[in-house]
Amino acid sequence: MQVTTKAIIFSSLKYGDTSLIVKAFTESDGLKSYLLKGVLSSKKGKLKAAYFLPLMQLEIVAVHKNKGTLESIREAKVTVPYKTVHTDIVKNSIVLFLAEMLGNSIQEGEQDEALFNYLEYALCCLDEFESNPNFHTLFLLNLTKYLGFYPDASFQDEPYFDLLEGSFCKKPSLNPLIQGENLECFKKLLGINFDAFPTVRMNKLQRQELLKNVILYFELHLHGFRKPKSLAVLNAVFE
């Protein structure tokens, strides 16, 4: 079946000398994988390799056979021409990290319009706003709303947050916990959006610890989740 849909690129992997295997989250069908034959050698075709950089926002004309095999893309055009995302070294590092996190977190399945709309909005914020070292952590925390395990913000006065239970608690358990100064940083990001960044203050060590806890939160709640290899690069950029 031929479909025309918006799509956000998660990854592209070179296949042979001239082709790419691309994973994209589509508005119409959720996560799909495509084989783009000859795209690296074609100069006059309707598909250009530059369209398939991480987190590019496209409109594609694709053929979805839905048989568990790689699909195909016939046409593609950029819907959101980024101004800074792929040219600002800090933002580009964030993009590579978030693309890997999304690829590790979202499974092939059915359409999820709310999740697609969130990704679309958040990536436009990343492009338009000044670089912020808390962006990716808030992005991931808010992403959990759509993945089904957003923290229960009730009882925030309690001294611990249980990462396995996803809630605040009065007494420590054997589960991984956020507590003390790290808990105060965690609470700063609960319930806010990207335009509230000027109100959030953390030092480098606090940001790194918070991000480490958020990644662990994903690991505890998503079966088969793999820690991102790009985390070390991201941390180096914010040194």
Side-chain angles (χ1 to χ4, degrees), residues 1 3 29 31-32 63-71 109:
M1 178 177 68
V3 298
D29 294 272
L31 188 64
K32 303 291 285 185
V63 176
H64 290 171
K65 296 182 179 179
N66 299 316
K67 293 182 178 179
T69 56
L70 294 171
E71 313 286 19

Side-chain angles (χ1 to χ4, degrees), residues 178-235:
I178 306 178
Q179 57 187 303
E181 187 180 79
N182 292 334
L183 185 64
E184 294 307 310
C185 294
F186 179 69
K187 290 194 287 189
K188 288 178 182 179
L189 295 187
L190 288 179
I192 71 167
N193 217 322
F194 300 110
D195 54 3
F197 271 141
T199 66
V200 178
R201 293 283 183 268
M202 295 182 214
N203 62 38
K204 181 182 71 176
L205 184 59
Q206 289 170 334
R207 286 195 300 269
Q208 288 182 348
E209 284 299 311
L210 181 56
L211 180 58
K212 190 187 302 182
N213 279 317
V214 170
I215 292 173
L216 177 58
Y217 191 50
F218 272 68
E219 191 175 358
L220 291 169
H221 289 268
L222 293 175
H223 179 70
F225 176 82
R226 302 185 308 278
K227 289 184 178 179
K229 297 177 182 177
S230 53
L231 179 60
V233 175
L234 186 70
N235 285 335

